[in-house]
Amino acid sequence: MTKQLIDGYDGVLADLDGVVYTGPRAIDGATEALERLGKEGKRLAYVTNNASRSSEQVAAHLRELGAPATAEQVFSSALAGAELLAGQVAEGSAVLVVGSDSLADAVRAQGLVVYRSAHHQPDAVIDAVIQGFSPELGWYDLAEAAYAVAAGAVWVATNTDMSLPQERGFAPGNGTFVAAVAAATSKTPSVAGKPGPALFGTAARHSGLVRPLVVGDRLDTDILGGNRANMDTALVLTGVDSVHSALAAHVDQRPDFLIGSLAELYQEYPTIRPDGVSYSCGEAVATATVTTVTVSGREDHLDSWRAACAAWWAMHPEVTPSAAPEVSFTVALSFTAAG
């Protein structure tokens, strides 16, 4: 019997944007693939850096799209950020929340006092600032954060995603707003969400997962965070990163698997075979030098890129090259003798 990729794991820790949906639309086949996990006896948890909505709001949105979801399955950087902040300040401390109402609720649940602005309370001493994404944020909110951070407040960012996939393209993410405050204050926040490992560990522990597979579309958050959590990682090519960025990925951002969609969780993952200086995957064979990768195979076939990654990463196992390799493809023709 053919072994499916998912057979090696007891469940999935899935990112949302770029994996399950893009903007208001579900990615083709994604919800069906997630629904099938339960039928395969696998558990599912969602791990997201988006701190703008509550777990129930996220779960409700997922259900509207057709994906299986309960609030208990959703783990966001708002929870991780509030817990991180609570470990750095005393109970009852005054916290300026720059972000959503859900983030404010998570901070209150830690026994901290929430402020939305110190403008009308000039004598208030802000002990800490926590910054998360909200589409309603503007210059005024960032200015308030900058004033407090510059005055010495503890600063926590829920995440530093620079972009946010939307239906029309990629919009500024929380990282762009965090960068604005950092530029204004010359200070750097503690970061709670991905690419740190804490979110993954929390989600796995609460979900009862011993051997989860992390599935994400971003090398610098999902894959790096999963790798840091010592979990196997799969880059799905329906969001931000591509085969090109995967090939050139930093050493600690290299995924264990490259899959075109979530449906490939239920396919056998092709074995990558080393053969001296070359690496083969399916019918593709790749060879790397210090600066180039040559692939005998089709450029539009994922196996060619899997072989290319294996060859390039083996050539540079510990140090990431400063430049991406030059890649060339040849299409090997096969002939069948007439019977």
Side-chain angles (χ1 to χ4, degrees):
M1 181 178 179
T2 300
K3 183 179 180 181
Q4 305 172 124
L5 173 58
I6 193 60
D7 288 344
Y9 304 92
D10 57 355
V12 166
L13 300 181
D15 180 48
L16 296 179
D17 293 326
V19 175
V20 183
Y21 55 76
T22 300
R25 300 177 184 274
I27 293 170
D28 288 346
T31 58
E32 293 84 355
L34 294 169
E35 185 69 41
R36 184 173 170 181
L37 284 171
K39 300 174 183 177
E40 297 281 338
K42 309 297 180 180
R43 298 183 180 183
L44 169 63
Y46 299 100
V47 182
T48 175
N49 263 358
N50 191 336
S52 64
R53 296 179 294 173
S54 69
S55 294
E56 180 51 50
Q57 288 173 322
V58 173
H61 179 220
L62 288 168
R63 291 193 297 269
E64 289 173 358
L65 295 175
T70 65
E72 291 73 26
Q73 290 176 292
V74 177
F75 299 88
S76 80
S77 61
L79 172 62
E83 290 182 347
L84 177 62
L85 184 59
Q88 298 185 40
V89 297
E91 185 175 356
S93 293
V95 179
L96 176 66
V97 176
V98 181
S100 67
D101 291 340
S102 297
L103 179 59
D105 290 341
V107 171
R108 289 190 186 96
Q110 298 297 320
L112 302 171
V113 178
V114 168
Y115 283 79
R116 285 303 202 169
S117 169
H119 179 69
H120 299 296
Q121 296 170 289
D123 295 330
V125 176
I126 298 299
D127 300 300
V129 174
I130 186 166
Q131 188 172 355
F133 178 79
S134 171
E136 284 76 36
L137 290 178
W139 177 89
Y140 179 84
D141 303 290
L142 301 183
E144 287 290 303
Y147 301 147
V149 170
V154 172
W155 184 23
V156 169
T158 60
N159 68 88
T160 52
D161 289 4
M162 297 304 292
S163 61
L164 190 66
Q166 298 291 294
E167 187 176 18
R168 295 171 57 194
F170 295 103
N174 194 52
T176 59
F177 301 139
V178 171
V181 176
T185 61
S186 298
K187 296 192 177 184
T188 304
S190 300
V191 181
K194 298 177 283 185
L199 260 177
F200 298 99
T202 297
R205 184 173 63 256
H206 285 277
S207 303
L209 290 169
V210 177
R211 183 168 168 72
L213 176 66
V214 173
V215 181
D217 70 307
R218 299 182 68 117
L219 295 166
D220 60 350
T221 56
D222 306 316
I223 304 307
L224 176 56
N227 289 344
R228 286 176 171 173
N230 295 315
M231 298 174 181
D232 284 359
T233 55
L235 178 70
V236 63
L237 303 171
T238 51
V240 172
D241 276 301
S242 66
V243 288
H244 299 277
S245 56
L247 179 63
H250 193 276
V251 170
D252 57 4
Q253 297 179 22
R254 294 170 179 173
D256 295 288
F257 306 103
L258 289 175
I259 57 176
S261 69
L262 288 179
E264 293 183 26
L265 292 173
Y266 308 102
Q267 298 176 11
E268 182 177 16
Y269 196 82
T271 300
I272 297 175
R273 300 176 298 276
D275 183 16
V277 296
S278 65
Y279 288 78
S280 62
C281 181
E283 297 183 357
V285 180
T287 304
T289 68
V290 175
T291 59
T292 66
V293 177
T294 302
V295 184
S296 175
R298 292 169 43 185
E299 185 174 357
D300 62 352
H301 200 292
L302 192 50
D303 281 351
S304 295
W305 290 95
R306 289 164 173 155
C309 287
W312 181 249
W313 296 348
M315 176 62 65
H316 305 279
E318 298 180 357
V319 179
T320 308
S322 58
E326 295 182 11
V327 187
S328 60
F329 293 86
T330 61
V331 179
L333 300 177
S334 59
F335 298 91
T336 302

